[in-house]
Amino acid sequence: MAPALQYSVLRQNEIRVLRPTYTSNLNFELIHVPLQPNSQYSALSYTWGTQAFTHPVTINNQEFRVTQNLYEALGYLYHGYRDKPPVISKGGLLWVDAICINQNNIPERNQQVPLMKTLYEQAERIYVWLGKAENEANNELGVQKMAEFTHGFLRSASKNRPYRPWWWPNKPVPLAADIHRGVVDMSVNNKAIFDVEGSVTYRSWLAICELLHKPWWTRAWVYQEATVPDAYTSYYVRGFNVNSRNTKVLFLHGSSTFSWSDLNNTLLVAEHLQSALSVDTTLLKSIPQECRRLSKLRNLRISGEKASFLDVLQTLRLTECREPQDKVYAALGLASPEAIQNIPVDYGLSVTEVYLNVAKFSMSEAGHELDFLGYSMTRAKRLPHRSSSYEENIGLPSWVPDWADMIDIYPLPKGIHKPFESTTRQVRPIDRRGIPFRGKETEMHCYNACGDTKLSAVITGTLLCIKGVQCDSIADIMILQDVAQCREKDRQWTIQMKGQYAPTNEPLQVALARTDAADAQYDTLGRVVARNGSIDFPLLRRNKSELAAKDYERQRITRHALVRATHLRSVCLTKRGYVGLVPDSAIVGDDIYMLLGGQVLYALRPTNTGGQEFTFIGESYIHGLMDGSIMKWVTDGKANVIDLVIA
C-alpha cells in the first residue's frame, strides 16, 4: 500500500491547487495559493461516483488513488479526449476537493468548507464534469442542437425588438416576454425542433436526456459550485441585451461542452414541446426536475434575489451527499452571513446537533421564528423514508426537520409578494431595455393565526417548550387520493352542515374550494400575491387544446395552487365544524393548536406519557381561523394559553 500523502498546514484564507508537471500522464504538484480576487486557478465540480479509489495519479511524487470518474475528468482536462485538445491550457492550476483538502483531517475540513463559496466565485473558470457519453456520436448531435436553440432565441429576440436610440428607450420589456416570443417562433412541427424516432433530431434529444440524467445533477454541493453568476459583461445589438459568451461555468460531457445558456434554452424548448398535443414527446417526460431546480436557484443568484435559508435547505433535501451533515453545510454557501455565523461547520457534531443548530437559528429570525416547522412533518405510513442515513437520524425529535429525508414538502405560504410596479417609461443614461427595471419589493405575512402575540419558547435538550392555545381537534378526514371516499365525505359533510359553512358564512363548496388552495392566489411566477384564492375544478378538467391563451395560463396557475396546498395533505373536518388541511399522517383525535409567534396552525398528537407533551405532526390550515380570531377567544375567556412540550 502506498504511504498516505503528506499535507502541509494551510494558513488562514489559503487553499491548495494542483499544478501539472507533465513528467508523466497525470503528475501534479500540490501548491498553496492565497484565496483572493483575480486568483488564476480553475475549479472542478464533479461527482465522486463509487467509493472505490482504484485509479492512481501522482501528487508530489507520491501515488494518490482517486475514483474512476475523477481520473477520467483529470485526463480530459489536461490531455484532451479522443481528437479534442486539452481543456485547460498548459500549466493551468486546478482545485479539486478530493485532493486539495485533506479528507482525513476533520479540523481542516471544518476550516475549508466555509471557504468553498468564495473559492468557486473567485475561480477563473468552473468545469462541470458530467462524465463520459454512452454514445459519442449522439452526444455531439445533442450538444449542437442545444447551441442551435440558443441561437434561435437570440434571433427571435432581435427580430422582435426594433431599434431605438438610447435616449428614447421603450418601456422595459420583461425577460419573460422574450422567452415567450422565442418559444412561439419555434414550431413544434419543425423537424429541426422535434422529429420521429430514429431521426437525427430524435437522436439529439436522446443525448440531451442522457446528460440530464447524469448523477452530477443530484449532488448537494453542486448548488453552490455551478450556480455562480457569470461576470456581467454586456453589449447591445438592435436594443437587445446580449451577455458575454465567455461563460464562467462550462459543462463537459464526453468530448463536448455547453453553457448554462444552452441548457436553459433547451429546457424551455422541452417544456414547450411537452405542452403541445400534435407531437408525441414521451421521451421528454423523462427529463428530471433536478436540472430545473438548479437552474432556478442560479437565476435567483443572478438577479440578486435571496432565497430564504430554509428554501435552500429544502431544495438540497432532494439531493444526495456522502454525509447527512452536508445537507446543511452545502446550503451555507448560499446563506446569509447571519446563518453562516450561527451554524458552525463542524464535522465532529452529530447529525442531531447540526439539525438542532438550524432550528435554533431559525427561531432567532424576527417575524419568521416558527417557519422552520413547515419543513417538519410526521410521515404517513404509506410514505417510506428515502434517506440512507435515516437509522442514524432516528433520534431526531419530531419537531426538528430531518434534512436527510428526501421528501418534497411545500410549507404553507408565509408571505404575500407585493412587486414594485412601474407604469412609466424608464429613462436611463444607456439603453437598458434588456434589463427589467427593479424597484423595491415588499412582502407581508400571508396568515396571522397568532394575532399580535410574540414567540414564547425555549429549547431544552431536544424538547421544544412553547406556549400555545388548543383551538380544535380532528373529527373526520378526507384522503384526497381516494376519489370515491372524497365524494362520499363531501356528501356526508354537505348533509351535516346543510350546505352552508357557518364560520365564514359562505356555501360549503366555496369554503372547500378555498381550502383546497389554502386561500392563496398565485402569479405566473408561482408567488403568492393575495388571499381569497380558490380552486376552479371545472377549469382543471378542461382539455388544454380547448383553452385560449388566457385560460391556459389560468389553468397552469390553478394547478400550481392545488399542488402547493394539498401535496402530502388531507382535508379535515374538526369537532367545532371547521374544514381545513392537515398532514396526511394526521388521524382522528389529533389536536389543532395555535402556537404563539406562529403564522399558521399546527397538528399535535398527545403522547402516552400524559400531561401536555406532544408529538409534532405538521402545519395545518383551518379555514376561518388563520387571521387572529383564536386570540379573541382567549380575550373572551373561551380558550387559555397553556405550556406545551413537543418531543
Side-chain angles (χ1 to χ4, degrees), residues 456 465-471 593-597 604 630-631 634 639-644:
S456 179
C465 304
I466 190 168
K467 292 184 180 294
V469 178
Q470 181 180 0
C471 52
Y593 272 83
M594 182 274 290
L595 303 180
L596 269 59
L604 305 180
I630 297 170
M631 286 310 299
V634 175
N640 298 310
V641 178
I642 60 176
D643 292 315
L644 308 171

Side-chain angles (χ1 to χ4, degrees), residues 18-130:
L18 297 174
R19 181 169 62 189
T21 64
Y22 299 103
T23 56
S24 61
N25 186 23
L26 288 175
N27 195 321
F28 303 93
E29 290 179 316
L30 200 56
I31 64 173
H32 292 205
V33 297
L35 189 59
Q36 60 188 18
N38 302 318
S39 298
Q40 296 183 343
Y41 68 90
S42 300
L44 179 64
S45 178
Y46 69 106
T47 179
W48 283 35
T50 65
Q51 295 301 305
F53 298 88
T54 55
H55 289 62
V57 297
T58 303
I59 309 292
N60 292 347
N61 297 318
Q62 285 185 253
E63 182 182 287
F64 187 93
R65 291 189 174 271
V66 298
T67 62
Q68 178 179 348
N69 195 46
L70 176 54
Y71 185 84
E72 292 171 349
L74 292 173
Y76 180 30
L77 290 170
Y78 282 104
H79 297 286
Y81 185 77
R82 293 189 176 180
D83 58 338
K84 299 295 178 70
V87 176
I88 297 180
S89 59
K90 189 169 184 178
L93 306 179
L94 182 67
W95 184 89
V96 182
D97 61 347
I99 302 175
C100 297
I101 297 177
N102 185 352
Q103 299 293 330
N104 297 320
N105 187 329
I106 289 181
E108 180 174 307
R109 290 171 65 192
N110 295 342
Q111 185 262 341
Q112 288 282 288
V113 166
L115 302 178
M116 288 180 64
K117 176 176 182 287
T118 304
L119 188 153
Y120 277 92
E121 288 177 342
Q122 295 185 357
E124 284 186 310
R125 178 63 67 89
I126 298 168
Y127 297 107
V128 173
W129 173 250
L130 298 178

Side-chain angles (χ1 to χ4, degrees), residues 187-367:
S187 170
V188 296
N189 296 316
N190 184 345
K191 292 186 177 182
I193 304 298
F194 196 82
D195 203 357
V196 297
E197 186 173 352
S199 64
V200 171
T201 302
Y202 191 87
R203 288 170 55 199
S204 300
W205 278 109
L206 278 176
I208 292 169
C209 291
E210 180 203 332
L211 67 87
L212 293 177
H213 276 89
K214 290 293 185 178
W216 180 88
W217 302 98
T218 66
R219 281 188 61 230
W221 286 104
V222 305
Y223 281 79
Q224 69 169 333
E225 297 169 358
T227 60
V228 176
D230 302 328
Y232 192 79
T233 304
S234 61
Y235 52 94
Y236 297 87
V237 178
R238 298 178 63 188
F240 177 61
N241 178 62
V242 181
N243 285 332
S244 169
R245 293 291 292 166
N246 186 23
T247 56
K248 188 182 186 78
V249 178
L250 188 67
F251 291 89
L252 315 173
H253 184 233
S255 63
S256 302
T257 63
F258 60 94
S259 68
W260 265 115
S261 295
D262 299 332
L263 175 64
N264 286 333
N265 292 324
T266 300
L267 293 176
L268 288 171
V269 173
E271 185 176 350
H272 175 56
L273 288 170
Q274 289 180 72
S275 66
L277 298 176
S278 57
V279 292
D280 181 8
T281 57
T282 305
L283 169 67
L284 304 186
K285 294 178 182 178
S286 67
I287 294 178
Q289 292 298 316
E290 285 84 358
C291 48
R292 291 188 172 94
R293 283 193 288 264
L294 194 63
S295 176
K296 181 180 179 180
L297 187 59
R298 178 176 181 269
N299 291 337
L300 281 175
R301 291 185 73 178
I302 291 174
S303 67
E305 295 183 22
K306 290 289 185 182
S308 77
F309 183 49
L310 292 173
D311 285 342
V312 175
L313 281 169
Q314 177 57 39
T315 300
L316 267 61
R317 191 179 202 166
L318 303 172
T319 63
E320 297 180 358
C321 52
R322 287 190 304 149
E323 301 179 55
Q325 294 96 321
D326 283 340
K327 292 291 182 78
V328 173
Y329 297 155
L332 286 176
L334 303 167
S336 65
E338 293 78 16
I340 296 171
Q341 183 178 355
N342 287 277
I343 304 174
V345 175
D346 186 350
Y347 284 93
L349 297 177
S350 68
V351 177
T352 298
E353 289 172 317
V354 174
Y355 292 179
L356 270 171
N357 284 341
V358 174
K360 292 174 182 177
F361 166 72
S362 298
M363 289 178 65
S364 69
E365 298 251 87

